Amino acid sequence: MEYKNPLGVDIDLETGVIPGAKKLVRRLSDLKGYFVDEKAYEELLKENPVVYEVYAIEQEEKDGDLNFATTVLYPGKVGREFFFTKGHYHSKADRAEIYYGIKGRGGMLLQTPEGKAEWIEMGPGTVVYVPPYWAHRTVNTGDEPFIFLAIYPADAGHDYGSIAEKGFSKLVVEENGEVRVVDSPKWKE
C-alpha cells in the first residue's frame, strides 16, 4: 500500500492566506446575475472590486480524503445586499462540510433544493455544520474582511449551476442599519 504524506500548514489568521495554496479570486464581474439590484451592480461593476479570495489545499477527488480552504470575503454591498460568495450545492449532494469563523463578522445562508432557508450568524470561533443536500453561501455583514476555514470531502465537488439558475430563496440585506434576511424576488421554485 502506498501512503499519502501528512501535511501541516500555517494559516495567516490576520489575512486568511495559506502559503502555497491554490488561489482563486472572484471579482464582482464573476457574480453577474447573482445580485437583485441590477442598476447598483452595473454601477459598481465600473470599479469591478474583488469580492472574495479562496486559498485551497486540494487532494485527489476520491472518497475518504479531505480538502480545506480559507476564504477572505471582503466588506461591501450591491444596493442593499451584502457581498457574498456564489454559493453552491455539492456535486455529490450527500456530502457535508464544516466552516470555522476566523476573523470578521458575517454568516452562512443555507437552503434545501425546495427553498427552505436557514441563516446562521458567524464570527471568530463559530463552527457551522452544513448537512448533506443543503446549498450554502457565506455573507459578509461587517466592515472588515470576513475570513473563515472550510473543510470538505475531496470528492464533494461544487454545483454552482443550480444556484446560477434558481438563486437562493432569501437575501441578506441592510435595512435601517440592521442585518435582515428577506425573501428573494429572483427565487425560482
Side-chain angles (χ1 to χ4, degrees), residues 42-54:
E42 291 298 329
E43 188 61 32
L44 189 56
L45 188 59
K46 294 173 186 172
E47 299 170 31
N48 199 20
V50 172
V51 176
Y52 63 98
E53 299 169 346
V54 179

Side-chain angles (χ1 to χ4, degrees), residues 15 23-35 40-55 70-79 81-87 103 105-107 137-148 172:
T15 66
K23 181 180 179 181
L24 168 73
V25 177
R26 294 255 194 237
R27 293 187 165 277
L28 186 63
S29 57
D30 297 312
L31 297 166
K32 183 168 179 57
Y34 284 78
F35 291 95
Y41 173 86
E42 291 298 329
E43 188 61 32
L44 189 56
L45 188 59
K46 294 173 186 172
E47 299 170 31
N48 199 20
V50 172
V51 176
Y52 63 98
E53 299 169 346
V54 179
Y55 298 88
T70 54
T71 299
V72 181
L73 178 53
Y74 292 99
K77 288 190 297 255
V78 174
E81 275 182 277
F82 292 101
F83 276 6
F84 53 68
T85 58
K86 278 187 166 185
K103 184 178 180 185
R105 301 255 17 85
R137 159 183 286 166
T138 46
V139 181
N140 184 338
T141 59
D143 57 5
E144 67 176 325
F146 174 38
I147 301 170
F148 52 88
V172 183

Side-chain angles (χ1 to χ4, degrees), residues 103-129:
K103 184 178 180 185
R105 301 255 17 85
M108 170 100 37
L109 184 61
L110 303 102
Q111 84 174 20
T112 66
E114 297 78 25
K116 176 187 173 193
E118 297 284 338
W119 168 250
I120 300 174
E121 289 187 15
M122 292 179 69
T126 304
V127 175
V128 175
Y129 167 68

Side-chain angles (χ1 to χ4, degrees), residues 93-186:
D94 64 348
R95 301 303 196 249
E97 188 166 356
I98 295 290
Y99 281 72
Y100 177 76
I102 295 173
K103 184 178 180 185
R105 301 255 17 85
M108 170 100 37
L109 184 61
L110 303 102
Q111 84 174 20
T112 66
E114 297 78 25
K116 176 187 173 193
E118 297 284 338
W119 168 250
I120 300 174
E121 289 187 15
M122 292 179 69
T126 304
V127 175
V128 175
Y129 167 68
V130 179
Y133 305 101
W134 285 73
H136 41 291
R137 159 183 286 166
T138 46
V139 181
N140 184 338
T141 59
D143 57 5
E144 67 176 325
F146 174 38
I147 301 170
F148 52 88
L149 172 71
I151 303 168
Y152 51 100
D155 67 343
H158 297 88
D159 170 10
Y160 294 107
S162 295
I163 300 303
E165 181 183 319
K166 292 179 67 170
F168 271 78
S169 63
K170 302 289 183 185
L171 306 175
V172 183
V173 300
E174 182 177 37
E175 201 171 86
N176 300 320
E178 303 270 329
V179 175
R180 300 269 188 237
V181 179
V182 299
D183 290 340
S184 172
K186 293 180 87 170

